Amino acid sequence: MTPVAGSGPTNTARPRGASLRLLSRALFAVVLAALAAVVVRLRGTGGTPRHRGGWRELSAEDFVEPVEE
Amino acid sequence: MRAVLVGLGAVGARCARQLLSSVLIDELVVVVRHRAPAAGVLASIGSPGSVELVELSPGDFGRSLRGAGVVVLAAPGTATFAREAVDQGVPAVSVADATDEVRLLLGLGTEARDRGAAVVAGAGMAPGLSCLLAAAAAEGMDEVNEVHVATLGTGGPACARRHHAALREMVEEWREGAWERKVASSGRELVWFPDLGGADCYRVERADPLLMVEAFPGLRRATTRAAASRRDRLTSWLPMLRPPHPEGTVGALRVEVRGRRGDKAGTVVLGASGRPALVAGTVAALAAEMAASRLLKPGAGGLASLVATPREALAELSRRGVKAEIFEGVGPAPTE
């Protein structure tokens, strides 16, 4: 039987190879992003920045003279 | 002397205890919305015979004021009662921290001055202790340029609800002589608090800048921030997801004042730590005693404007257990 144009199932789907390629690229991007995040996370020292000095309770002298750093 | 206290929450109860232990106050009238829970709180405070419990109604409040030496407003939304107090020449002390309530109190300034009474707007931890610390830090300076306030923690349930609302309401900051509107929960800054270490703080709607601008003419910048978690900021636009705790844990306050002395620019950082409700109650009680003794300047304002000797006030707070601290050193060191 001679196939008539438009009567058969049209093949609009992406070829199997192209889908796999897309999937592998997406996976590669995700893995790359995760690796970058891990590197940034491990290289960063985290926590709060270091500082010098500390708090001292105001003494009786401080209440007489103006407080100064 | 008779004192009237409106509200018996976490701050009000602490204030009541302080007032009852004062030699100045021999009678305390406590005005509350609901009598039953307040009776239990008062029983735990003690001093029977010297305390009268009154349920809140406009007529009763006016009657309670007669012959009173001072009124302490320690419940949210009660700043309007200050007008009635001023009309009768009774000094009023409010622990309100919302800008609209504080603005309302500041509006009573002329009438309060005419009647020789003080209206203290913001007599809690911040504003309140923050104003005293800023005034003490400013005493060593010829010119005050900037005041930055930061807090960590909340007191009772009303305070927690205000903190929740303050993270979503528009914020007004003082910059170069004008008010600038900012988005709440923005402007993250790492702040070092006494005893509790570093915490990320964000802009909140609170009256500290308004009171600092009143107290320090020529101020160029005034800001206020509060520590908040990601969850606090993310859920600030929602109703509170669960009822707040009866009382928060230890909190802290940090006040940074920048200015000039002679040709030299300088920065003084003062702070304090403690349970916020306890600190606020103690500050409110001290402000009430000073107002009742006419030791505050007549008029309306924060403690930085009305207290003539902030260091003496801090010394008295220290005797009552609220210890002010000073930061000595420098901020984050450069990365090596």
Side-chain angles (χ1 to χ4, degrees), chain A residues 41 45 47-69, chain B residues 136 140 190 192-194 261 267 269-271 311 314 323-333 336:
Chain A
R41 184 81 182 166
T45 50
T48 47
R50 289 200 279 170
H51 70 291
R52 293 191 295 268
W55 291 92
R56 172 180 66 79
E57 198 176 293
L58 289 183
S59 60
E61 295 84 56
D62 293 311
F63 294 129
V64 178
E65 292 296 319
V67 284
E68 282 179 45
E69 198 183 14
Chain B
L190 176 63
W192 293 92
F193 291 98
R261 187 176 194 180
T267 303
V269 181
L270 296 179
R311 278 176 287 126
L314 286 179
K323 312 275 186 195
E325 296 181 48
I326 184 167
F327 183 79
E328 292 177 323
V330 291
E336 285 163 20

Side-chain angles (χ1 to χ4, degrees), chain B residues 117-145:
Chain B
V119 175
V120 183
M125 189 163 172
L129 182 57
S130 60
C131 297
L132 281 177
L133 292 175
E139 278 196 326
M141 296 176 178
D142 298 327
E143 181 190 318
V144 179
N145 300 133

Side-chain angles (χ1 to χ4, degrees), chain B residues 63-149:
Chain B
R63 270 194 296 281
S64 308
L65 278 178
R66 278 181 214 134
V70 67
V71 176
V72 181
L73 304 167
T78 54
T80 46
F81 288 114
R83 176 172 293 282
E84 215 167 327
V86 171
D87 284 344
Q88 297 195 30
V90 179
V93 173
S94 170
V95 301
D97 69 349
T99 306
D100 53 350
E101 276 196 81
V102 167
R103 212 166 254 143
L104 193 147
L105 291 163
L106 293 179
L108 301 171
T110 311
E111 204 178 333
R113 258 190 306 277
D114 291 346
R115 292 181 180 272
V119 175
V120 183
M125 189 163 172
L129 182 57
S130 60
C131 297
L132 281 177
L133 292 175
E139 278 196 326
M141 296 176 178
D142 298 327
E143 181 190 318
V144 179
N145 300 133
E146 300 184 22
V147 179
H148 304 283
V149 177

Side-chain angles (χ1 to χ4, degrees), chain B residues 121-260:
Chain B
M125 189 163 172
L129 182 57
S130 60
C131 297
L132 281 177
L133 292 175
E139 278 196 326
M141 296 176 178
D142 298 327
E143 181 190 318
V144 179
N145 300 133
E146 300 184 22
V147 179
H148 304 283
V149 177
T151 59
L152 170 64
T154 55
C159 184
R161 284 192 195 94
R162 258 298 299 151
H163 180 260
H164 186 75
L167 282 166
R168 67 165 181 269
E169 291 169 357
M170 285 304 288
V171 176
E172 285 194 340
E173 273 187 6
W174 185 254
R175 275 171 181 261
E176 306 300 338
W179 290 108
E180 268 186 27
R181 284 171 76 80
K182 300 279 182 187
V183 177
S185 294
S186 63
R188 183 172 71 172
E189 197 174 296
L190 176 63
V191 176
W192 293 92
F193 291 98
D195 304 328
L196 300 179
D200 281 332
C201 292
Y202 304 85
R203 290 188 181 103
V204 284
E205 196 288 314
R206 208 168 44 201
D208 295 279
L210 182 62
L211 295 171
M212 298 302 176
V213 169
E214 291 271 326
F216 306 109
L219 198 65
R220 280 174 38 219
R221 285 191 68 193
T223 65
T224 187
R225 282 175 165 76
S229 64
R230 281 196 186 97
R231 193 186 63 189
D232 292 339
R233 292 164 55 227
L234 193 70
T235 61
S236 64
W237 59 278
L238 296 167
M240 287 190 90
L241 298 179
R242 60 180 179 201
H245 298 291
E247 192 178 336
T249 55
V250 177
L253 167 69
R254 179 187 186 273
V255 179
E256 180 175 338
V257 179
R258 299 180 192 171
R260 303 190 74 82

Side-chain angles (χ1 to χ4, degrees), chain A residues 6-42:
Chain A
S7 63
T10 46
N11 188 7
T12 54
R14 200 187 293 268
R16 190 181 166 83
S19 297
L20 275 175
R21 203 159 46 244
L22 183 71
L23 188 67
S24 65
R25 278 178 183 170
L27 266 173
F28 179 71
V30 168
V31 169
L32 205 66
L35 277 174
V38 165
V39 168
V40 168
R41 184 81 182 166
L42 290 180

